[in-house]
């Protein structure tokens, strides 16, 4: 196990340990220098106000700093996250043999693997407690320049799954993404599309205080769409983000972009 994996698995414990150390050091310094603090109470109050003001200002003007604080809070609290995932592959090279190969691979994954239902075109199974549904369809090929009469289509769906934020993050990183990587290699070049939904329950991290006042009103709805720009200038956007009053949806056309979108936005669902 490498250092990054070890840190990820113990992230909540590490953050709480660091918080405890900082708190202990603060109490030690206060107890040691309490006479100086009391004798210079006016300067002490001004210093505390200045420090708090600097933190609040940094939080308001720096999106990166604000996200860092939110990530720390999300990790330490480790609240429940509710998400679902859908992947679709369509192309001329996809056929029944491809689907059977993927079915067999899915049945071998995990420590606790149980097939719920299986036939020639669909399989439903649980892998370590996660329900997956994989299906196969054929469509008439409308490309008149192609020699293939049919287009094959494989879909993978994970219905709404509930887990603490850190468990959900590890599950995606260590179990789901490897499955998608395998499918990408097995299927080869084709048209891919990916969708990931985070369902908001009691708390909506994207809503500001002003909008929250309206959320309790009847028939309140809103939708926000934006394209997630590529970190490399000049390249096309890596995906699309849609936020509503009920959920966050991430869409991408490649697995790398899809993985990057989830890693960037999932933590907001854990607040």
């Amino acid at each position: 196990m490498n250092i990054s994996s070890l840190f990820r698995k113990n992230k909540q414990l590490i953050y709480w340990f660091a918080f405890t150390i900082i708190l202990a050091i603060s109490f030690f310094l206060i107890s040691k220098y309490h006479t100086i603090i009391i004798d210079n109470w006016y300067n002490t109050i001004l210093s505390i106000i200045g420090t708090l003001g600097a933190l609040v200002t940094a939080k308001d003007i720096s999106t990166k700093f604000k996200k860092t604080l939110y990530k720390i809070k999300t990790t330490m609290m480790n609240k429940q996250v509710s998400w679902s995932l859908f992947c679709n592959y369509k192309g001329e090279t996809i056929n029944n043999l491809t689907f059977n190969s993927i079915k067999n691979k899915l049945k071998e994954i995990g420590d606790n693997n149980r097939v719920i239902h299986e036939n020639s075109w669909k399989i439903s199974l649980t892998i370590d407690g996660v329900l997956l549904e994989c299906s196969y369809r054929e469509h008439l090929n409308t490309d008149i320049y192609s020699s293939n009469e049919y287009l094959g289509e494989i879909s993978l769906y994970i219905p709404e799954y509930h887990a603490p934020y850190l468990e959900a993050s590890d599950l995606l990183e260590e179990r789901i993404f490897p499955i998608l990587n395998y499918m990408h290699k097995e299927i080869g070049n084709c048209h891919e599309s990916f969708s990931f939904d985070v369902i908001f329950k009691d708390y909506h991290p994207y809503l500001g205080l002003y909008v929250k006042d309206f959320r309790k009103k009847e028939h309140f709805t809103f939708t926000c769409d934006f394209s997630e720009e590529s970190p490399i200038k000049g390249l096309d956007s890596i995906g699309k983000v849609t936020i509503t009053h009920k959920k966050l949806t991430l869409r991408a056309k490649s697995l790398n972009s899809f993985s990057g979108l989830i890693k960037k936005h999932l933590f907001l669902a854990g607040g």
Side-chain angles (χ1 to χ4, degrees), residues 34-50:
H34 68 278
T35 54
I36 298 175
I37 293 173
I38 294 172
D39 292 340
N40 299 275
W41 62 270
Y42 182 74
N43 291 333
T44 301
I45 291 174
L46 288 180
S47 299
I48 293 173
I49 293 174

Side-chain angles (χ1 to χ4, degrees), residues 64-80:
K64 189 173 182 178
F65 181 68
K66 188 173 183 178
K67 284 184 176 180
T68 300
L69 292 178
Y70 204 100
K71 283 184 178 180
I72 293 173
K73 173 194 168 187
T74 299
T75 302
M76 293 178 71
M77 301 306 293
N78 200 22
K79 292 186 178 180
Q80 287 283 114

Side-chain angles (χ1 to χ4, degrees), residues 210-252:
Y210 183 76
V211 182
K212 278 184 180 178
D213 293 336
F214 290 90
R215 185 171 54 171
K216 296 179 181 178
K217 291 181 180 279
E218 192 176 1
H219 307 307
F220 169 77
T221 61
F222 80 95
T223 301
C224 173
D225 292 292
F226 63 91
S227 296
E228 188 70 47
E229 298 302 322
S230 170
I232 303 175
K233 290 185 177 181
L235 296 182
D236 294 335
S237 62
I238 62 174
K240 184 178 180 181
V241 180
T242 301
I243 308 161
T244 70
H245 62 297
K246 291 184 178 181
K247 65 180 181 179
L248 160 73
T249 300
L250 308 173
R251 296 186 182 90

Side-chain angles (χ1 to χ4, degrees), residues 13-31:
L13 181 63
I14 291 170
Y15 276 135
W16 275 111
F17 180 75
F19 177 75
T20 303
I21 293 296
I22 293 171
L23 206 60
I25 292 173
S26 300
F27 279 121
F28 171 76
L29 293 175
I30 290 172
S31 63

Side-chain angles (χ1 to χ4, degrees), residues 160-228:
E160 189 172 331
Y161 179 78
H162 301 261
Y165 163 72
L166 291 174
E167 181 184 319
S169 181
D170 286 342
L171 176 68
L172 288 163
E173 186 72 25
E174 298 176 5
R175 181 67 74 207
I176 306 304
F177 289 153
I179 291 175
L180 300 185
N181 270 312
Y182 167 79
M183 293 181 66
H184 175 77
K185 292 176 181 177
E186 186 70 18
I187 292 172
N189 187 34
C190 68
H191 179 271
E192 299 176 314
S193 63
F194 303 89
S195 178
F196 185 85
D197 286 338
V198 174
I199 298 90
F200 299 127
K201 298 297 185 180
D202 300 324
Y203 181 75
H204 196 312
Y206 289 87
L207 293 179
L209 181 62
Y210 183 76
V211 182
K212 278 184 180 178
D213 293 336
F214 290 90
R215 185 171 54 171
K216 296 179 181 178
K217 291 181 180 279
E218 192 176 1
H219 307 307
F220 169 77
T221 61
F222 80 95
T223 301
C224 173
D225 292 292
F226 63 91
S227 296
E228 188 70 47

